[in-house]
Amino acid sequence: MAKLAIIGGSGFGQINELNITQQKKIQTPFGEPSAPLAFGEFGGQEIIFLTRHGEGHTIPPHQINYRANIWALKDAGIKHIVGMGAVGGIRQDMAPGCLAIPDQIIDYTWGRAHTFFEQQQRKVVHVDFTDPYCEKLRTALIEAGQLAGVELIPSGTYGATQGPRLETAMEINRMERDGSDLVGMTGMPEAALARELELSYAACAVVANWGAGRGDGPITWEAIEACLDEGMDKAKAVLLALADNLK
Ligand code: HPA
């Protein structure tokens, strides 16, 4: 049974190296996931791949059914999830093209269905989220980077914004003062929902652009995509080493 799932974000809508053996359309108590779960073999291990923005990249960050995605993966027997995502760089060393394994989160999102614990609970549940990512899986990713010869920035704070618009220059300045090193739109509530279902979850962030006001001129999606193509190849090498290591 597959233990590892990869949730692919922008620039990572599919994995060509994945030998898909089965595609399963799943219903959950929270609705349908972004796409059918793709079961396949990757790096000699069975994994599940789920494209976060749907087939054809049609679901914007604030409309993703994060609960259905995480529930479906738990239901499929998954233990570990790596959430891939494109981000903007805020900290000086988080330049476009870099890969980072964040260790903290600041959540700026709002209005998203962000918990499984809202109805008919006998008791209110407050999960611990001091360390929002699974430290074991983060370490495994960092080791996989070393094995694959891919440089990874081993920590950083992921600032999760609502989107779908990009930020203003002042919002990025404020995020920096808060302590955010990276900015992305999909890191939350995904990480928190995985914690609620006691899944091991870590993120692999691919820096696609400088945060607003930090680069030359406006941010274009074309420039982001060009950068992602290269970053995602590196990310795939890391994931292959990880899959091999988790065997
Ligand atoms: N901001 C938010 N999300 C992003 C960015 C950004 O600059 N780049 C890629 N995803």
Side-chain angles (χ1 to χ4, degrees):
M1 187 192 274
K3 284 188 297 187
L4 172 67
I6 297 168
I7 301 181
S10 295
F12 212 97
Q14 60 184 54
I15 306 183
N16 294 333
E17 291 77 1
L18 179 66
N19 291 320
I20 298 179
T21 49
Q22 200 186 7
Q23 301 244 40
K24 255 196 201 165
K25 209 169 169 208
I26 311 270
Q27 268 298 339
T28 79
F30 302 93
E32 267 185 37
S34 300
L37 301 186
F39 292 70
E41 190 265 328
F42 181 70
Q45 205 202 295
E46 265 183 69
I47 69 155
I48 296 178
F49 179 77
L50 173 60
T51 179
R52 189 186 283 121
H53 295 278
E55 289 163 324
H57 202 273
T58 52
I59 312 172
H62 63 295
Q63 283 176 344
I64 290 166
N65 192 340
Y66 295 95
R67 291 196 297 191
N69 288 352
I70 297 296
W71 188 277
L73 293 175
K74 172 86 178 184
D75 211 41
I78 283 298
K79 302 274 177 271
H80 311 284
I81 300 176
V82 177
M84 299 293 308
V87 295
I90 301 178
R91 206 170 77 194
Q92 272 205 339
D93 59 333
M94 300 278 189
C98 284
L99 264 61
I101 310 299
D103 63 339
Q104 276 296 328
I105 295 176
I106 300 178
D107 188 7
Y108 300 90
T109 66
W110 50 270
R112 300 181 179 189
H114 63 284
T115 179
F116 292 111
F117 299 132
E118 57 186 8
Q119 279 168 2
Q120 295 153 13
Q121 293 292 314
R122 271 182 301 155
K123 260 192 157 181
V124 179
V125 180
H126 301 286
V127 292
D128 176 70
F129 206 44
T130 310
D131 295 307
Y133 299 109
C134 169
E135 201 47 40
K136 276 195 185 149
L137 188 56
R138 274 187 9 84
T139 303
L141 273 165
I142 293 162
E143 281 170 10
Q146 283 159 1
L147 286 170
V150 173
E151 201 178 319
L152 295 173
I153 299 175
S155 60
T157 297
Y158 182 112
T161 55
Q162 177 70 356
R165 69 163 176 83
L166 292 158
E167 298 70 38
T168 66
M170 245 344 125
E171 284 169 341
I172 292 293
N173 288 348
R174 186 186 72 164
M175 290 179 75
E176 183 174 48
R177 288 197 299 276
D178 286 351
S180 294
D181 301 313
L182 300 159
V183 53
M185 301 177 193
T186 55
M188 284 294 282
E190 196 168 275
L193 291 167
R195 177 62 53 83
E196 285 190 350
L197 294 191
E198 297 177 355
L199 289 161
S200 139
Y201 177 94
C204 178
V206 179
V207 184
N209 56 283
W210 284 114
R214 303 287 165 109
D216 305 324
I219 302 167
T220 67
W221 195 252
E222 291 71 36
I224 289 184
E225 277 184 333
C227 198
L228 282 179
D229 281 347
E230 196 193 316
M232 291 302 169
D233 281 346
K234 289 199 263 177
K236 255 186 262 176
V238 174
L239 292 176
L240 270 174
L242 175 78
D244 199 44
N245 232 5
L246 285 181
K247 256 192 277 185

